[in-house]
Amino acid sequence: MNILMLSSTFPYPPTQGGTQVRTFNLLKYLSQRHAITLVTQREAHVTDTEIAELQHWVDRLVIFERPPDLGSQKGMLQKLQRLNLFLQDGVPPNVLNRYSPEMQNWIDNFVEAGKCDVITCEHSVNEIYVRPHFQKQVRTLVNVHSSIYCTCRNQLETGTSTNPVRDKVNLPLLRRYEQNYCSKFSAIAVTTQEDKIQLQQFNPHKEITVIPNGVDLESFPYRSNDPGGHRLIFIGAMDNLANIDAVCFFCNEVLPKIQARYSDATFEIVGSRPAPEVLALQAKPGVIVTGKVPSIAEYLHKATVCVVPMRTGFGIKNKTLEAMAAGVPIVASDRGLEGLAVDGANVLLTALRANHPPEYVNAISHLFTNAQLREELSRNGRQLVEAEFTWDIAGRRYEQLCLEN
Protein backbone atom coordinates (compact mmCIF):
# COMPACT_ATOMS: atom_id res chain seq x y z
CA MET A 1 0.00 0.00 0.00
CA ASN A 2 1.24 3.49 -0.86
CA ILE A 3 0.57 5.92 1.97
CA LEU A 4 0.90 9.70 1.68
CA MET A 5 1.46 11.13 5.18
CA LEU A 6 1.04 14.88 5.72
CA SER A 7 2.69 16.52 8.72
CA SER A 8 3.51 20.22 8.74
CA THR A 9 5.28 19.49 12.05
CA PHE A 10 8.67 17.89 11.35
CA PRO A 11 8.26 14.58 13.24
CA TYR A 12 11.85 13.99 14.29
CA PRO A 13 13.40 13.45 16.73
CA PRO A 14 10.42 11.80 18.43
CA THR A 15 11.23 13.47 21.75
CA GLN A 16 10.32 17.07 20.89
CA GLY A 17 6.64 16.97 21.83
CA GLY A 18 3.39 15.01 21.63
CA THR A 19 2.79 15.68 17.93
CA GLN A 20 6.25 14.47 16.94
CA VAL A 21 6.05 11.40 19.18
CA ARG A 22 2.70 10.19 17.84
CA THR A 23 3.45 10.98 14.19
CA PHE A 24 6.88 9.36 14.13
CA ASN A 25 5.91 6.18 15.93
CA LEU A 26 2.87 5.54 13.74
CA LEU A 27 5.01 6.27 10.68
CA LYS A 28 7.67 3.88 11.97
CA TYR A 29 5.13 1.08 12.37
CA LEU A 30 3.48 1.58 8.97
CA SER A 31 6.84 1.72 7.20
CA GLN A 32 7.46 -1.95 8.04
CA ARG A 33 4.94 -3.14 5.44
CA HIS A 34 3.96 -0.12 3.36
CA ALA A 35 5.59 2.50 1.14
CA ILE A 36 5.52 5.86 2.95
CA THR A 37 5.79 9.25 1.29
CA LEU A 38 6.08 11.88 4.01
CA VAL A 39 5.41 15.53 3.16
CA THR A 40 6.51 17.87 5.92
CA GLN A 41 7.93 21.31 6.70
CA ARG A 42 11.31 22.38 7.99
CA GLU A 43 11.54 24.85 10.83
CA ALA A 44 14.68 26.76 11.79
CA HIS A 45 15.69 24.32 14.56
CA VAL A 46 15.59 21.22 12.30
CA THR A 47 19.14 20.05 11.52
CA ASP A 48 20.52 18.32 8.43
CA THR A 49 21.38 15.33 10.62
CA GLU A 50 17.76 15.01 11.75
CA ILE A 51 16.59 15.13 8.14
CA ALA A 52 19.05 12.38 7.20
CA GLU A 53 17.92 10.22 10.12
CA LEU A 54 14.21 10.64 9.30
CA GLN A 55 14.94 9.68 5.69
CA HIS A 56 15.79 6.14 6.86
CA TRP A 57 12.18 5.57 7.95
CA VAL A 58 10.36 6.55 4.75
CA ASP A 59 10.50 5.70 1.07
CA ARG A 60 10.30 9.35 0.09
CA LEU A 61 10.76 12.48 2.19
CA VAL A 62 9.48 15.75 0.71
CA ILE A 63 10.33 18.89 2.67
CA PHE A 64 9.03 22.44 2.28
CA GLU A 65 10.10 25.52 4.19
CA ARG A 66 7.78 26.55 7.02
CA PRO A 67 5.75 29.65 5.95
CA PRO A 68 6.25 32.88 7.94
CA ASP A 69 4.21 32.96 11.14
CA LEU A 70 1.19 35.22 10.63
CA GLY A 71 0.82 35.41 14.40
CA SER A 72 4.11 37.31 14.66
CA GLN A 73 2.27 40.36 13.32
CA LYS A 74 1.10 41.86 16.61
CA GLY A 75 -0.70 45.03 15.49
CA MET A 76 -4.44 45.49 15.99
CA LEU A 77 -4.99 45.78 12.23
CA GLN A 78 -3.26 42.44 11.63
CA LYS A 79 -5.32 40.79 14.37
CA LEU A 80 -8.55 42.09 12.86
CA GLN A 81 -7.47 40.86 9.44
CA ARG A 82 -6.81 37.35 10.83
CA LEU A 83 -10.21 37.34 12.56
CA ASN A 84 -11.89 38.48 9.34
CA LEU A 85 -10.25 35.61 7.43
CA PHE A 86 -11.47 33.20 10.10
CA LEU A 87 -15.01 34.56 9.80
CA GLN A 88 -15.00 34.45 6.00
CA ASP A 89 -13.10 31.24 5.26
CA GLY A 90 -13.77 29.30 8.46
CA VAL A 91 -10.10 28.34 8.88
CA PRO A 92 -8.35 29.21 12.18
CA PRO A 93 -5.16 31.32 12.08
CA ASN A 94 -3.02 28.49 13.51
CA VAL A 95 -3.99 26.33 10.51
CA LEU A 96 -3.38 29.11 7.98
CA ASN A 97 0.03 29.67 9.60
CA ARG A 98 1.16 26.28 8.28
CA TYR A 99 -0.33 26.60 4.81
CA SER A 100 2.15 26.50 1.92
CA PRO A 101 0.80 26.95 -1.65
CA GLU A 102 3.88 25.11 -2.94
CA MET A 103 3.18 22.17 -0.67
CA GLN A 104 -0.48 22.19 -1.73
CA ASN A 105 0.48 22.14 -5.41
CA TRP A 106 2.83 19.18 -4.85
CA ILE A 107 0.13 17.21 -2.99
CA ASP A 108 -2.50 17.97 -5.66
CA ASN A 109 -0.23 16.69 -8.42
CA PHE A 110 0.77 13.58 -6.45
CA VAL A 111 -2.84 12.61 -5.75
CA GLU A 112 -4.10 13.38 -9.25
CA ALA A 113 -1.31 11.18 -10.65
CA GLY A 114 -2.71 8.25 -8.64
CA LYS A 115 0.48 7.70 -6.66
CA CYS A 116 -1.15 6.89 -3.32
CA ASP A 117 -3.86 4.64 -1.94
CA VAL A 118 -4.30 6.41 1.38
CA ILE A 119 -3.75 9.97 2.65
CA THR A 120 -3.22 10.49 6.38
CA CYS A 121 -3.21 13.91 8.02
CA GLU A 122 -1.03 13.65 11.12
CA HIS A 123 -2.71 16.24 13.35
CA SER A 124 -5.81 18.11 12.28
CA VAL A 125 -3.90 21.27 11.23
CA ASN A 126 -2.91 19.38 8.08
CA GLU A 127 -6.53 18.95 6.97
CA ILE A 128 -6.19 22.15 4.93
CA TYR A 129 -4.18 20.24 2.31
CA VAL A 130 -6.91 17.66 1.67
CA ARG A 131 -9.38 18.61 -1.05
CA PRO A 132 -12.99 17.46 -0.53
CA HIS A 133 -12.90 15.44 -3.76
CA PHE A 134 -9.81 13.45 -2.71
CA GLN A 135 -11.94 10.92 -0.82
CA LYS A 136 -13.58 9.93 -4.12
CA GLN A 137 -10.15 8.81 -5.36
CA VAL A 138 -8.37 7.51 -2.24
CA ARG A 139 -9.06 6.73 1.41
CA THR A 140 -8.52 9.88 3.48
CA LEU A 141 -7.81 9.77 7.20
CA VAL A 142 -7.34 12.56 9.74
CA ASN A 143 -5.47 11.76 12.95
CA VAL A 144 -6.95 14.21 15.49
CA HIS A 145 -4.48 14.54 18.35
CA SER A 146 -7.04 16.59 20.31
CA SER A 147 -10.20 18.55 19.57
CA ILE A 148 -9.35 22.25 19.24
CA TYR A 149 -12.96 23.20 19.98
CA CYS A 150 -12.90 21.20 23.22
CA THR A 151 -9.52 22.64 24.16
CA CYS A 152 -10.71 26.22 23.66
CA ARG A 153 -13.91 25.58 25.60
CA ASN A 154 -11.97 23.94 28.43
CA GLN A 155 -9.56 26.89 28.66
CA LEU A 156 -12.48 29.28 29.00
CA GLU A 157 -14.19 27.09 31.60
CA THR A 158 -11.04 26.69 33.71
CA GLY A 159 -9.79 30.27 33.42
CA THR A 160 -6.56 29.18 31.72
CA SER A 161 -7.18 31.03 28.45
CA THR A 162 -4.45 33.56 27.64
CA ASN A 163 -7.01 35.72 25.80
CA PRO A 164 -10.60 35.07 26.96
CA VAL A 165 -12.16 37.76 24.78
CA ARG A 166 -10.58 36.30 21.66
CA ASP A 167 -11.46 32.73 22.62
CA LYS A 168 -15.12 33.57 23.34
CA VAL A 169 -15.35 34.98 19.82
CA ASN A 170 -13.48 31.99 18.36
CA LEU A 171 -15.40 29.23 20.13
CA PRO A 172 -18.45 29.02 17.80
CA LEU A 173 -16.11 29.46 14.83
CA LEU A 174 -13.99 26.52 15.99
CA ARG A 175 -17.11 24.39 16.36
CA ARG A 176 -18.11 25.18 12.78
CA TYR A 177 -14.56 24.58 11.54
CA GLU A 178 -14.19 21.20 13.24
CA GLN A 179 -17.56 20.07 11.96
CA ASN A 180 -16.76 21.14 8.39
CA TYR A 181 -13.27 19.70 8.01
CA CYS A 182 -14.25 16.28 9.36
CA SER A 183 -16.70 15.87 6.47
CA LYS A 184 -13.75 15.64 4.03
CA PHE A 185 -12.41 12.40 5.47
CA SER A 186 -13.24 8.74 5.02
CA ALA A 187 -12.23 8.04 8.62
CA ILE A 188 -11.20 9.90 11.77
CA ALA A 189 -8.77 8.73 14.46
CA VAL A 190 -8.78 10.25 17.96
CA THR A 191 -6.74 9.51 21.08
CA THR A 192 -9.53 9.34 23.69
CA GLN A 193 -13.17 8.38 24.07
CA GLU A 194 -13.91 11.95 25.19
CA ASP A 195 -12.76 13.36 21.85
CA LYS A 196 -14.70 10.65 20.00
CA ILE A 197 -17.92 11.62 21.77
CA GLN A 198 -17.39 15.30 20.92
CA LEU A 199 -16.58 14.71 17.25
CA GLN A 200 -19.42 12.20 16.91
CA GLN A 201 -21.81 14.98 17.90
CA PHE A 202 -20.51 17.02 14.98
CA ASN A 203 -20.44 14.07 12.57
CA PRO A 204 -22.90 11.37 13.70
CA HIS A 205 -22.43 9.27 10.56
CA LYS A 206 -18.62 9.37 10.43
CA GLU A 207 -16.32 6.48 11.21
CA ILE A 208 -14.40 7.59 14.34
CA THR A 209 -11.86 5.24 15.94
CA VAL A 210 -10.06 5.68 19.26
CA ILE A 211 -6.34 4.94 18.87
CA PRO A 212 -4.51 5.95 22.07
CA ASN A 213 -0.88 7.01 22.19
CA GLY A 214 1.82 4.55 23.13
CA VAL A 215 5.27 4.32 24.66
CA ASP A 216 8.55 3.04 23.28
CA LEU A 217 9.35 0.61 26.09
CA GLU A 218 13.04 0.48 25.14
CA SER A 219 13.36 4.24 25.56
CA PHE A 220 11.45 4.16 28.86
CA PRO A 221 12.67 1.04 30.72
CA TYR A 222 11.21 0.13 34.11
CA ARG A 223 13.19 1.55 37.01
CA SER A 224 15.46 -0.78 38.94
CA ASN A 225 14.76 0.73 42.37
CA ASP A 226 12.65 3.22 44.28
CA PRO A 227 14.90 6.24 45.06
CA GLY A 228 12.70 7.48 47.90
CA GLY A 229 13.23 11.08 48.97
CA HIS A 230 11.13 14.10 48.06
CA ARG A 231 11.93 14.73 44.39
CA LEU A 232 9.07 15.79 42.12
CA ILE A 233 9.29 15.88 38.34
CA PHE A 234 7.30 17.18 35.36
CA ILE A 235 8.19 16.21 31.79
CA GLY A 236 7.10 17.77 28.49
CA ALA A 237 7.91 20.28 25.78
CA MET A 238 8.22 23.51 27.71
CA ASP A 239 7.13 25.90 24.97
CA ASN A 240 3.69 24.26 24.98
CA LEU A 241 1.05 26.56 26.51
CA ALA A 242 -0.73 23.78 28.42
CA ASN A 243 2.58 22.63 29.93
CA ILE A 244 3.60 26.19 30.80
CA ASP A 245 0.29 26.71 32.60
CA ALA A 246 0.69 23.39 34.45
CA VAL A 247 4.15 24.08 35.88
CA CYS A 248 3.35 27.71 36.76
CA PHE A 249 0.21 26.59 38.58
CA PHE A 250 2.12 23.88 40.43
CA CYS A 251 5.03 26.13 41.43
CA ASN A 252 2.79 28.96 42.61
CA GLU A 253 -0.10 27.08 44.20
CA VAL A 254 1.17 23.65 45.28
CA LEU A 255 4.94 23.46 45.72
CA PRO A 256 5.20 26.01 48.58
CA LYS A 257 2.66 23.97 50.57
CA ILE A 258 4.63 20.78 49.90
CA GLN A 259 7.86 22.47 51.00
CA ALA A 260 6.19 23.65 54.19
CA ARG A 261 5.91 19.96 55.11
CA TYR A 262 9.11 18.72 53.41
CA SER A 263 11.72 21.46 53.36
CA ASP A 264 14.04 19.50 51.05
CA ALA A 265 11.37 18.90 48.38
CA THR A 266 12.50 19.77 44.85
CA PHE A 267 10.66 20.11 41.54
CA GLU A 268 12.46 19.35 38.27
CA ILE A 269 10.93 20.63 35.02
CA VAL A 270 12.40 18.47 32.27
CA GLY A 271 11.79 19.28 28.62
CA SER A 272 13.03 21.13 25.58
CA ARG A 273 12.64 24.82 24.70
CA PRO A 274 11.59 26.23 28.10
CA ALA A 275 9.65 29.48 27.66
CA PRO A 276 10.68 32.63 29.58
CA GLU A 277 7.86 32.07 32.10
CA VAL A 278 9.27 28.62 32.81
CA LEU A 279 12.87 29.79 33.12
CA ALA A 280 11.70 32.44 35.59
CA LEU A 281 10.47 29.67 37.93
CA GLN A 282 14.10 28.80 38.74
CA ALA A 283 14.08 31.77 41.10
CA LYS A 284 11.77 29.81 43.39
CA PRO A 285 13.33 27.53 46.06
CA GLY A 286 13.84 23.95 44.92
CA VAL A 287 12.80 24.49 41.28
CA ILE A 288 15.17 23.18 38.59
CA VAL A 289 14.61 23.77 34.85
CA THR A 290 16.79 21.43 32.81
CA GLY A 291 15.87 22.22 29.21
CA LYS A 292 16.44 19.40 26.72
CA VAL A 293 18.13 16.32 28.21
CA PRO A 294 19.70 13.24 26.53
CA SER A 295 17.42 10.79 28.35
CA ILE A 296 14.12 11.71 29.99
CA ALA A 297 13.94 8.19 31.44
CA GLU A 298 17.10 8.77 33.50
CA TYR A 299 15.51 11.81 35.13
CA LEU A 300 12.26 9.94 35.74
CA HIS A 301 14.10 7.10 37.46
CA LYS A 302 15.62 9.53 39.96
CA ALA A 303 12.25 11.08 40.87
CA THR A 304 10.07 10.09 43.79
CA VAL A 305 6.81 11.24 42.17
CA CYS A 306 5.85 12.52 38.73
CA VAL A 307 3.19 15.24 38.73
CA VAL A 308 0.95 15.97 35.73
CA PRO A 309 -1.00 19.03 36.91
CA MET A 310 -2.62 19.82 33.54
CA ARG A 311 -5.53 22.23 33.68
CA THR A 312 -6.15 22.33 29.94
CA GLY A 313 -5.34 20.36 26.80
CA PHE A 314 -7.41 17.45 25.53
CA GLY A 315 -6.17 14.07 24.36
CA ILE A 316 -4.15 11.32 26.01
CA LYS A 317 -0.88 12.58 27.53
CA ASN A 318 2.40 11.01 26.44
CA LYS A 319 4.06 12.35 29.58
CA THR A 320 1.69 10.32 31.77
CA LEU A 321 2.24 7.11 29.82
CA GLU A 322 6.02 7.57 29.75
CA ALA A 323 6.21 8.08 33.51
CA MET A 324 4.07 4.98 34.05
CA ALA A 325 6.32 2.95 31.75
CA ALA A 326 9.36 4.11 33.71
CA GLY A 327 7.71 2.98 36.95
CA VAL A 328 7.35 6.41 38.56
CA PRO A 329 4.27 6.94 40.79
CA ILE A 330 1.97 9.62 39.39
CA VAL A 331 -0.22 12.35 40.83
CA ALA A 332 -2.25 13.94 38.06
CA SER A 333 -5.35 15.95 37.24
CA ASP A 334 -8.37 14.74 35.30
CA ARG A 335 -6.83 16.30 32.18
CA GLY A 336 -3.51 14.57 32.86
CA LEU A 337 -5.27 11.21 33.20
CA GLU A 338 -7.68 11.58 30.28
CA GLY A 339 -8.23 8.33 28.43
CA LEU A 340 -6.77 6.16 31.22
CA ALA A 341 -8.58 3.87 33.66
CA VAL A 342 -6.47 4.36 36.79
CA ASP A 343 -8.91 4.29 39.72
CA GLY A 344 -12.48 3.46 40.67
CA ALA A 345 -14.49 0.27 41.03
CA ASN A 346 -12.93 -2.90 39.58
CA VAL A 347 -9.82 -0.97 38.43
CA LEU A 348 -6.30 -1.44 39.78
CA LEU A 349 -5.11 1.75 41.45
CA THR A 350 -2.53 3.07 39.01
CA ALA A 351 -2.27 6.82 39.80
CA LEU A 352 -3.52 9.30 42.39
CA ARG A 353 -5.93 11.95 41.14
CA ALA A 354 -5.80 15.63 42.17
CA ASN A 355 -7.30 18.80 40.72
CA HIS A 356 -6.93 21.37 43.50
CA PRO A 357 -3.92 22.38 45.64
CA PRO A 358 -5.03 20.59 48.85
CA GLU A 359 -5.62 17.39 46.85
CA TYR A 360 -2.11 17.58 45.35
CA VAL A 361 -0.56 18.20 48.76
CA ASN A 362 -2.37 15.25 50.35
CA ALA A 363 -1.66 12.85 47.48
CA ILE A 364 2.02 13.76 47.20
CA SER A 365 2.50 13.61 50.97
CA HIS A 366 0.86 10.19 51.02
CA LEU A 367 3.32 8.93 48.41
CA PHE A 368 6.34 10.53 50.08
CA THR A 369 5.60 8.60 53.30
CA ASN A 370 4.31 5.31 51.92
CA ALA A 371 6.85 3.18 50.07
CA GLN A 372 4.34 0.34 49.65
CA LEU A 373 1.90 2.63 47.81
CA ARG A 374 4.72 3.92 45.60
CA GLU A 375 5.58 0.33 44.69
CA GLU A 376 1.94 -0.50 43.96
CA LEU A 377 1.47 2.46 41.61
CA SER A 378 4.84 1.79 39.98
CA ARG A 379 4.04 -1.84 39.22
CA ASN A 380 0.44 -1.21 38.11
CA GLY A 381 1.46 1.67 35.86
CA ARG A 382 4.03 -0.39 33.99
CA GLN A 383 1.57 -3.28 33.59
CA LEU A 384 -1.11 -0.96 32.19
CA VAL A 385 1.26 0.47 29.57
CA GLU A 386 2.55 -2.96 28.53
CA ALA A 387 -1.00 -4.29 28.15
CA GLU A 388 -2.66 -1.36 26.38
CA PHE A 389 -0.36 1.50 25.44
CA THR A 390 2.58 0.47 23.30
CA TRP A 391 3.27 1.85 19.84
CA ASP A 392 2.92 -1.64 18.38
CA ILE A 393 -0.66 -1.80 19.65
CA ALA A 394 -1.42 1.71 18.35
CA GLY A 395 0.32 0.99 15.05
CA ARG A 396 -1.72 -2.16 14.38
CA ARG A 397 -4.95 -0.25 14.95
CA TYR A 398 -3.80 2.60 12.72
CA GLU A 399 -2.78 0.20 9.96
CA GLN A 400 -6.17 -1.50 10.13
CA LEU A 401 -7.90 1.88 9.84
CA CYS A 402 -5.81 2.74 6.78
CA LEU A 403 -6.65 -0.58 5.12
CA GLU A 404 -10.41 -0.54 5.67
CA ASN A 405 -12.67 0.27 2.73
Side-chain angles (χ1 to χ4, degrees):
M1 184 170 62
N2 296 311
I3 302 176
L4 174 62
M5 301 186 77
L6 309 180
S7 176
S8 55
T9 300
F10 192 83
Y12 196 89
T15 53
Q16 295 285 359
T19 299
Q20 290 93 329
V21 171
R22 183 171 174 87
T23 301
F24 174 77
N25 281 286
L26 292 177
L27 177 159
K28 178 182 175 182
Y29 185 90
L30 291 175
S31 69
Q32 297 175 79
R33 283 178 290 278
H34 306 285
I36 306 295
T37 297
L38 174 65
V39 181
T40 187
Q41 294 178 357
R42 180 176 187 172
E43 300 180 55
H45 61 79
V46 175
T47 67
D48 291 340
T49 300
E50 289 167 348
I51 291 174
E53 290 173 350
L54 179 59
Q55 180 69 67
H56 293 308
W57 297 99
V58 296
D59 291 83
R60 186 175 186 181
L61 179 61
V62 183
I63 301 176
F64 293 86
E65 292 299 318
R66 177 73 178 268
D69 186 359
L70 299 176
S72 62
Q73 301 171 335
K74 302 295 185 182
M76 182 57 68
L77 177 61
Q78 287 80 10
K79 291 180 180 179
L80 290 173
Q81 288 173 339
R82 291 196 294 273
L83 176 60
N84 188 51
L85 280 173
F86 194 2
L87 289 167
Q88 288 183 344
D89 301 337
V91 182
N94 71 311
V95 177
L96 289 173
N97 275 349
R98 296 168 181 262
Y99 185 70
S100 160
E102 294 80 13
M103 184 168 159
Q104 180 74 73
N105 185 59
W106 192 97
I107 292 167
D108 289 346
N109 290 334
F110 192 82
V111 175
E112 295 301 329
K115 295 182 178 180
C116 60
D117 306 301
V118 178
I119 302 171
T120 72
C121 288
E122 303 305 323
H123 199 295
S124 57
V125 293
N126 299 287
E127 65 75 23
I128 194 170
Y129 293 107
V130 174
R131 308 286 193 185
H133 69 268
F134 282 0
Q135 64 177 312
K136 296 179 181 179
Q137 302 167 245
V138 298
R139 184 164 174 80
T140 54
L141 192 155
V142 60
N143 188 359
V144 181
H145 291 203
S146 63
S147 164
I148 57 173
Y149 166 76
C150 286
T151 298
C152 181
R153 185 182 63 186
N154 175 254
Q155 288 172 344
L156 287 169
E157 291 172 350
T158 58
T160 55
S161 169
T162 57
N163 191 332
V165 174
R166 176 202 63 199
D167 288 345
K168 285 177 182 177
V169 172
N170 284 349
L171 191 61
L173 300 176
L174 290 172
R175 180 186 177 93
R176 181 186 68 180
Y177 164 71
E178 206 152 67
Q179 187 171 18
N180 288 343
Y181 87 68
C182 284
S183 66
K184 298 191 298 183
F185 291 91
S186 312
I188 300 167
V190 295
T191 64
T192 67
Q193 186 67 25
E194 193 168 355
D195 270 349
K196 178 178 179 176
I197 291 169
Q198 180 60 70
L199 292 180
Q200 203 88 67
Q201 291 176 7
F202 295 160
N203 304 272
H205 304 296
K206 276 292 176 185
E207 175 188 355
I208 302 177
T209 303
V210 177
I211 302 177
N213 286 344
V215 180
D216 180 344
L217 297 180
E218 291 184 5
S219 298
F220 290 89
Y222 189 62
R223 69 180 189 183
S224 59
N225 65 287
D226 175 359
H230 305 127
R231 296 180 63 172
L232 301 166
I233 191 171
F234 177 92
I235 61 173
M238 292 319 305
D239 58 350
N240 175 277
L241 291 177
N243 290 343
I244 294 169
D245 174 78
V247 297
C248 288
F249 160 73
F250 190 82
C251 286
N252 292 327
E253 303 295 331
V254 180
L255 186 61
K257 296 178 176 65
I258 293 291
Q259 291 172 330
R261 296 188 183 189
Y262 307 94
S263 59
D264 62 338
T266 59
F267 180 45
E268 269 189 314
I269 302 170
V270 179
S272 59
R273 304 184 300 276
E277 308 97 296
V278 177
L279 292 171
L281 296 173
Q282 295 179 104
K284 295 179 177 292
V287 177
I288 304 144
V289 179
T290 68
K292 184 178 179 180
V293 297
S295 170
I296 293 174
E298 289 183 12
Y299 281 80
L300 283 169
H301 289 165
K302 296 174 185 176
T304 318
V305 175
C306 178
V307 293
V308 192
M310 312 301 292
R311 298 195 296 174
T312 186
F314 274 63
I316 202 163
K317 306 300 183 293
N318 288 324
K319 58 177 65 64
T320 306
L321 294 176
E322 289 166 355
M324 284 181 175
V328 185
I330 290 172
V331 176
S333 65
D334 291 342
R335 291 266 67 83
L337 295 171
E338 184 183 349
L340 304 175
V342 299
D343 53 13
N346 302 316
V347 175
L348 285 176
L349 183 63
T350 308
L352 299 188
R353 192 179 299 269
N355 290 294
H356 306 288
E359 295 171 345
Y360 280 104
V361 173
N362 289 337
I364 292 167
S365 298
H366 198 24
L367 283 169
F368 278 173
T369 57
N370 191 330
Q372 184 176 346
L373 179 60
R374 293 199 301 272
E375 173 59 27
E376 179 184 355
L377 297 189
S378 170
R379 182 178 61 254
N380 291 347
R382 177 70 181 198
Q383 289 176 354
L384 177 65
V385 170
E386 289 178 346
E388 300 183 31
F389 298 102
T390 68
W391 284 118
D392 276 350
I393 295 171
R396 283 196 296 272
R397 293 175 182 171
Y398 201 51
E399 181 182 36
Q400 183 179 4
L401 191 59
C402 290
L403 290 169
E404 289 175 359
N405 294 318

